Amino acid sequence: MQIGLGFDIHRIKPVKNGGFFLAAGTKIPAPYRVLAHSDGDLLYHAAADALASALGMADIGHFFPSKKSTTRGIDSLEILKHYLVSLRRRGGSLLSVSAVIAAEKPPLDPHRRSIQRSLAGALGLPDRSVGLTFKTFEGIKPLAQNSIACWVNCLVQFNDKANQP
Ligand code: MG
């Protein structure tokens, strides 16, 4: 067994209309847009880094550098899939993930089921194996006004101990 940990943070910019952010492909209406080189899906980014960590692999910045034109606007599910393929090749299976999303606005609880379902679907896990916790930044200004953040940990089991990092 191996535990992995991933983290992601993105800058946000207030907008009057049509703002949103992506959490595991779920579009959450928000009073801002996310500044990102990719599609800015911070939950997929943190989940991918958690898998990288559990596999002893390099992080997403290594395989999908944000300065390259080839990764501009990339669908972050592709980033996640890169690590899921490696996990499978190594004979590993994902047992569970736990995620914390920190966003000052909007309230995320109404989106809980849809975020949980989409993350579980992307990872091939039952919904009950995806834990979700939503936090604000408690009004702490530099973070609350300018960012959204996400932490994910995961638990991976290797069928063959030789493949364990
Ligand atoms: Mg990111």
Side-chain angles (χ1 to χ4, degrees):
M1 297 251 213
Q2 191 82 14
I3 290 174
L5 174 64
F7 167 73
D8 196 29
I9 187 165
H10 279 263
R11 287 181 180 275
I12 55 173
K13 187 180 174 190
V15 290
K16 287 212 170 100
N17 298 303
F20 71 93
F21 77 94
L22 290 173
T26 299
K27 197 171 177 177
I28 314 286
Y32 51 81
R33 68 181 182 87
V34 174
L35 304 183
H37 179 76
S38 66
D39 66 4
D41 195 318
L42 78 170
L43 187 46
Y44 278 161
H45 294 174
D49 270 340
L51 283 171
S53 156
L55 289 165
M57 288 173 68
D59 56 56
I60 63 174
H62 175 86
F63 293 105
F64 302 92
S66 62
K67 292 198 169 98
K68 287 219 165 157
S69 59
T70 49
T71 57
R72 183 174 299 280
I74 189 174
D75 178 349
S76 298
L77 186 55
E78 272 185 54
I79 298 174
L80 185 64
K81 280 180 177 167
H82 172 82
Y83 290 97
L84 289 170
V85 167
S86 297
L87 175 70
R88 226 170 294 132
R89 278 202 194 121
R90 300 259 290 269
S93 45
L94 184 59
L95 300 184
S96 67
V97 297
S98 296
V100 179
I101 301 176
E104 199 66 13
K105 292 177 203 164
L108 295 177
D109 197 57
H111 303 283
R112 180 181 298 279
R113 288 293 293 136
S114 97
I115 297 171
Q116 185 184 39
R117 244 182 251 133
S118 57
L119 184 57
L123 294 170
L125 284 173
D127 291 357
R128 66 175 181 281
S129 302
V130 174
L132 281 181
T133 302
F134 301 132
K135 307 295 283 185
T136 68
F137 288 112
E138 288 287 331
I140 301 164
K141 274 187 183 165
L143 291 167
Q145 291 181 345
N146 300 307
S147 65
I148 53 175
C150 183
W151 294 256
V152 173
N153 73 10
C154 68
L155 185 61
V156 167
Q157 186 173 43
F158 292 91
N159 301 330
D160 180 353
K161 280 205 175 112
N163 286 336
Q164 187 157 338

